Amino acid sequence: MEPVKCIFCNPDPSIIIARNAHAYARFDKYPVNPGHILIIPHRHISTPFELTDEERVGIWDLLTEMREMVMNRYHPDGFNIGVNLGEAAGQTIGHLHVHLIPRYGGDTKNPRGGVRGVIPEKQDYSVEK
């Protein structure tokens, strides 16, 4: 049986919008909102806990650079930054990638709780249950 090829390990250069020595950035193929970007380390690892200090800085530098680009091009009202780790958390690709998701006023009925919305009944923590 042939090993499964990782779609993030050897990307088509035409989809890369920025890069540094440790990671690259590309638009998400299935964006949550306009301007949704992925930051992907060059090294094939599954979790951020495997990152070297230099890789961590490289990823954060690209996040900062891409935030500026998205602000200038798409003018969002906010951002979510996230990583899915493990099948139970929704990870579908075994190569670490960080989502930079622009948020726009009105893109969801109630954004309160942000990433807590991955479990909808836990999103609004202001309501006593």
Side-chain angles (χ1 to χ4, degrees):
M1 180 189 301
E2 281 189 43
V4 176
K5 292 188 178 190
C6 175
I7 64 170
F8 289 158
C9 280
N10 292 299
D12 176 346
S14 69
I15 66 169
I16 296 173
I17 56 176
R19 70 180 318 130
N20 62 29
H22 302 289
Y24 69 94
R26 60 166 285 178
F27 285 105
D28 191 290
K29 190 174 180 181
Y30 305 101
V32 171
N33 268 335
H36 181 170
I37 291 176
L38 302 178
I39 309 299
I40 304 164
H42 296 302
R43 189 165 63 96
H44 184 90
I45 55 175
S46 297
T47 77
F49 305 108
E50 300 168 75
L51 290 167
T52 66
D53 290 342
E54 292 82 12
E55 288 169 327
R56 213 173 347 274
V57 169
I59 286 173
W60 200 259
D61 285 349
L62 271 181
L63 275 168
T64 302
E65 180 182 340
M66 292 298 93
R67 179 202 173 271
E68 285 302 310
M69 186 274 292
V70 171
M71 287 296 294
N72 291 330
R73 186 182 295 182
Y74 297 95
H75 311 287
D77 301 306
F79 288 91
N80 289 112
I81 297 172
V83 178
N84 302 321
L85 299 179
E87 187 177 338
Q91 186 175 15
T92 58
I93 298 171
H95 188 132
L96 173 65
H97 52 288
V98 181
H99 294 262
L100 176 65
I101 303 173
R103 298 300 305 275
Y104 302 91
D107 66 0
T108 188
K109 183 179 171 184
N110 181 9
R112 184 178 170 90
V115 297
R116 296 174 60 92
V118 300
I119 300 176
E121 61 271 13
K122 301 288 186 176
Q123 184 172 4
D124 188 357
Y125 52 89
S126 66
V127 178
E128 289 198 32
K129 309 234 179 199

